[in-house]
Amino acid sequence: MDKITLGTKNVSIEFPGVKALSNVDFEIETGKIHAVLGANGAGKSTLMKVLAGSNPDYTGDVLYNGKVVELRKPVAAKELGIQIVYQEVDMALIPSLSVAENVMFNHLVMNMGHKQFVDWGQIQRDAKEVLKRLNIDIDVSQLVGNLSLAQKQMVLIARAIQSTCNFLILDEPTAPLSDTETEELFRVCQHLVATENLAVIFISHRLHEVLQICNSYTVMRNGEIVDNSLITPETTTKEIVEKMLGRSFEENFPKEIVDIGGKALEVEHLSEAEGNVNDVSFYVRRGEIVGIAGLVGAGKSELCKTLFGALKKSAGTIKFDGKELKIKTPSDAVKYRMALVPEERRKEGVLVSETVDFNLSAACLGKFCKMSFINKGKTAENASHFVKSLGIKTPSIYQLVRNLSGGNQQKVVVGKWLAADCDVYIFDEPTKGVDVGAKAEIFKLINEIAKDNNCVIYASCENSEILSITDRTYVMFDGKIMAELETAKTCEDEIMHYAVGGTEAYVAS
Amino acid sequence: MNQLLKKKSVGRFLMDWAAVIALVFSIIVFTIMQGQAFFSAANATNILRAMSITTIFAIAATVTMAPDGFDMSACTLASFSAYIFASSFLWFGMPLLVSAIVTILFTMVLYLLTMFLILVCKIPDMLATCSLMFVHQGLGLWWTGGGAVSSGMPTRWGGQPVRAGWTEGFLNIGRAPWCIIIMLACVAFAFIFLNYTKHGRYLYAMGGNRVAAKLSGINVKRYRFVAGMVTAVFIAIGAMVVCSRNSAAQITGCDNYLMPSLAAVFVGRSVGGAEKPNAIGTMIGAALVAVLENGLTQVGVVYYVLPAVKGAVLALALVVAYASKKED
């Protein structure tokens, strides 16, 4: 069969202040499964979006069979048979419609022309036909809302191959899947490559899977391509991890030495009701900053939220100073003097439509009340104090939080909990979307909190941050803790080794 | 650039004060057209009296909507409460104050059902209260035996009522100045409750971002319940004023106040740039409706066309108020 190639030449993308892709030369051909690898923020998804036509602002050329093509619109990519299945399957599916309609969605939207009536028999027959090509068995009259995540993914793959498909891009398809579901996905991919001569481009953090299924791989780092290689039986995850990380870590923040006290927070066999946290046990001592490392989707956020009562706990105990904490809701957690700085700042952390003043007193408003009436003088005093001590840049304490910058909003969230004077502070990706300057200030703040004899939990997928701020680190993979590491004695390689699911002990090279 | 900013802030100003401007504008227009007949103390009392009931129900809706709740069944519940008020006063001969307390307690107890559906069964507010509308209507008429409760009529079981008729005190509730005073008290209470107590601030926090409020440790279920109970009290008060105004607890006597009261809250949302349901805005919204009704009648618009004109002006106020909303 004829091979088709798809490639990029000198493709760059610049976002304000960041170079997301710089001069990327990339090529794949049909009949292969190719992996694109890299740490978070390496530019994998950005590159895939260029190929899918949803990143119109690239410079450089995209080549299809050696000819320059303009992929400035998703439709342009689809016409060339480049189909992408994004990680968030629910974004692309309509749960209230049947499997048949979802599979044939492109047809229903694009090819109806002047036809006004839907030929249900035809739609169902066609959908069945496509699913048969994938060699999978799903009832097409069923509603998509009733399907499992893995089945939804199959529906999306079916939709992708229903129209012309030469290149199928799967963006982290296995992240939410169980082992058997992953096997099934692999079988489908291999079946497609064998029978339809298409190329599957596979983005994944799970390196052992990549070695199992892919023919070749590309490693990206900081928006550049570092390596293109074939996968041979000799290829090891370790060498890929080394390529992914490179050897240069620049960001280093000062870690202050704090006297660490006795065990205060003890968590035993904690599980979350939906299975995103699975039998997790750990402890935090007073004055200690404990890191929770792991890749996106490893269950770090879920662990933080389960501790805080925002997600339902199915098993396990949480103790503080030997006393069991019965936490069912976040408001229980706050009563036990716990604080959570959540990942989605604007959605979960601050009340953007309220003032700085109100946000800073929101977690402990009772302190500023007399007979339920708010003493506005007192809240203002509190707000002014924290605006000053945290260096929150705002024209006035009555400014709406929506008008502050990301870093300053984050300081408001931290300030809210400082005002409530908690014992346990949980930080979930606190530096997400804040600039380097604000990052350093937030780190300083977290150090201060630990110094005051509090327990700090710091969850982040940025290993360099984990290494620079924590005393001890637990590495999570698939909702489980894979390893407990002494930060001073570990390195990024070791964290990564466990974060991609390594079970055997790490051996330094 | 400067000019653009200026233009923007002028636009912003118009949007924030659209309801007030519409109110002042219509007062001026009607005054020019009608002179003393419109712009007089007597007519002002008329307007205030006319708006009092809508305002009380709108205040109830304001408290529900502050934490982003919604209640379609408020006014059917009020009709039921009115039956209870009238029957406890007439049939059982309770003193006025006792009847009022019984009515308020009854309304709160029945509101537990609303809260049960919303908080325990987790049905969306809109759907839960839609179904409760029918429950209220049916149960209410079961209580009265299918008719209104009014003086000179036998009780449900055919007996002689303890009281033969209404007393002056009872009828005064619905008359000026008492109904106006009650309205102002409700507005003042809601204003203070929502703006100056921690409970009110928590409700607004929930309305602004429920997830963030929850993750700040606010017990969102408890505060939704608090909002429901406060709403129930206002509904009971509204029911009593209606009952007294009509000198009877009529069948579906309060049901028609639902839409005007919701409209008042929506119009009032943006007043002064508050961008949330607020007591003062709500009162201005209700005043706008009442002024239009009064003025248009005087100008000679026939009563059956009135709703169309009223609706159009409300829609206009809403268009301006929501013009700044970003599209998703």
Side-chain angles (χ1 to χ4, degrees), chain A residues 18-292:
Chain A
V18 224
K19 219 161 185 196
L21 289 180
S22 59
N23 308 323
V24 169
D25 295 344
F26 175 76
E27 189 175 87
I28 40 166
E29 57 181 30
T30 52
K32 287 225 172 102
I33 303 183
H34 184 90
V36 177
L37 308 168
N40 298 312
K44 305 174 301 260
S45 296
T46 317
L47 178 61
M48 291 308 116
K49 278 190 183 154
V50 170
L51 296 180
S54 45
N55 232 340
D57 301 322
Y58 65 87
T59 56
D61 297 324
V62 179
L63 306 170
Y64 185 83
N65 256 345
K67 280 197 299 262
V68 175
V69 285
E70 288 292 313
L71 294 184
R72 307 285 173 180
K73 276 186 292 188
V75 179
K78 281 194 178 135
E79 275 168 7
L80 293 175
I82 305 165
Q83 308 282 350
I84 185 162
V85 175
Y86 290 108
Q87 192 183 358
E88 297 87 13
V89 290
D90 289 315
M91 301 274 280
L93 289 169
I94 298 160
S96 53
L97 297 184
S98 68
V99 170
E101 285 161 281
N102 272 287
V103 169
M104 303 303 292
F105 199 66
N106 290 335
H107 170 78
L108 279 170
V109 176
M110 316 279 289
N111 304 339
M112 288 291 281
H114 289 292
K115 275 204 301 191
Q116 301 302 324
F117 290 94
V118 176
D119 181 351
W120 284 112
Q122 189 65 39
I123 293 281
Q124 299 218 342
R125 272 195 301 282
D126 288 350
K128 270 188 200 146
E129 190 61 35
V130 178
L131 290 172
K132 215 158 120 200
R133 272 164 66 197
L134 291 175
N135 203 3
I136 50 174
D137 184 32
I138 301 176
D139 176 11
V140 295
S141 54
Q142 191 173 171
L143 294 187
V144 160
N146 301 332
L147 299 184
S148 73
L149 239 151
Q151 287 175 314
K152 285 180 185 168
Q153 222 165 41
M154 292 301 166
V155 170
L156 277 181
I157 294 176
R159 183 195 286 178
I161 65 161
Q162 181 267 325
S163 26
T164 8
C165 182
N166 300 317
F167 299 92
L168 177 62
I169 304 171
L170 302 177
D171 190 352
E172 292 210 40
T174 59
L177 302 187
S178 71
D179 289 349
T180 40
E181 289 168 337
T182 307
E183 288 294 321
E184 172 72 3
L185 178 73
F186 287 177
R187 191 194 58 69
V188 167
C189 288
Q190 275 159 341
H191 179 79
L192 277 176
V193 172
T195 57
E196 317 234 343
N197 186 40
L198 46 76
V200 176
I201 305 169
F202 194 74
I203 300 183
S204 177
H205 279 304
R206 303 187 176 191
L207 298 183
H208 54 273
E209 293 175 358
V210 168
L211 295 183
Q212 194 187 333
I213 181 179
C214 298
N215 308 106
S216 53
Y217 67 87
T218 296
V219 177
M220 296 188 72
R221 188 170 71 227
N222 297 334
E224 288 170 40
I225 288 190
V226 208
D227 187 38
N228 279 306
S229 299
L230 291 177
I231 291 178
T232 64
E234 283 78 50
T235 314
T236 62
T237 49
K238 203 168 144 204
E239 66 172 274
I240 299 179
V241 168
E242 276 167 18
K243 287 174 193 163
M244 277 164 66
L245 298 175
R247 286 282 136 230
S248 55
F249 313 124
E250 343 58 25
E251 290 174 71
N252 241 325
F253 298 98
K255 165 82 188 128
E256 286 183 48
I257 307 300
V258 172
D259 287 332
I260 292 176
K263 280 188 194 180
L265 182 75
E266 289 171 272
V267 177
E268 277 157 18
H269 307 294
L270 187 74
S271 294
E272 187 253 337
E274 309 229 334
N276 293 317
V277 177
N278 206 336
D279 194 16
V280 164
S281 301
F282 67 96
Y283 66 91
V284 187
R285 292 174 290 192
R286 282 192 184 276
E288 189 179 35
I289 303 177
V290 165
I292 306 288

Side-chain angles (χ1 to χ4, degrees), chain B residues 11 17 22 66 117 201 208 213 216 235-236 257 259 283 299 312 318 325:
Chain B
W17 299 101
L117 288 184
R201 297 316 295 176
S216 297
I235 290 173
Y257 289 103
M259 284 305 154
M283 190 164 84
V299 176
L318 289 172
K325 271 229 151 171

Side-chain angles (χ1 to χ4, degrees), chain B residues 234-310:
Chain B
F234 285 126
I235 290 173
I237 294 172
M240 292 188 275
V241 177
V242 174
C243 185
S244 162
R245 170 84 51 87
N246 294 340
S247 316
Q250 292 173 337
I251 300 177
T252 71
C254 304
D255 296 10
N256 288 335
Y257 289 103
L258 178 67
M259 284 305 154
S261 65
L262 292 181
V265 181
F266 284 124
V267 170
R269 249 187 79 97
S270 63
V271 169
E275 298 303 344
K276 45 194 157 208
N278 65 93
I280 303 296
T282 295
M283 190 164 84
I284 289 169
L288 180 61
V289 178
V291 165
L292 286 173
E293 209 155 58
N294 179 289
L296 290 170
T297 314
Q298 283 197 14
V299 176
V301 176
V302 278
Y303 73 93
Y304 47 82
V305 186
L306 210 59
V309 184
K310 220 162 67 179

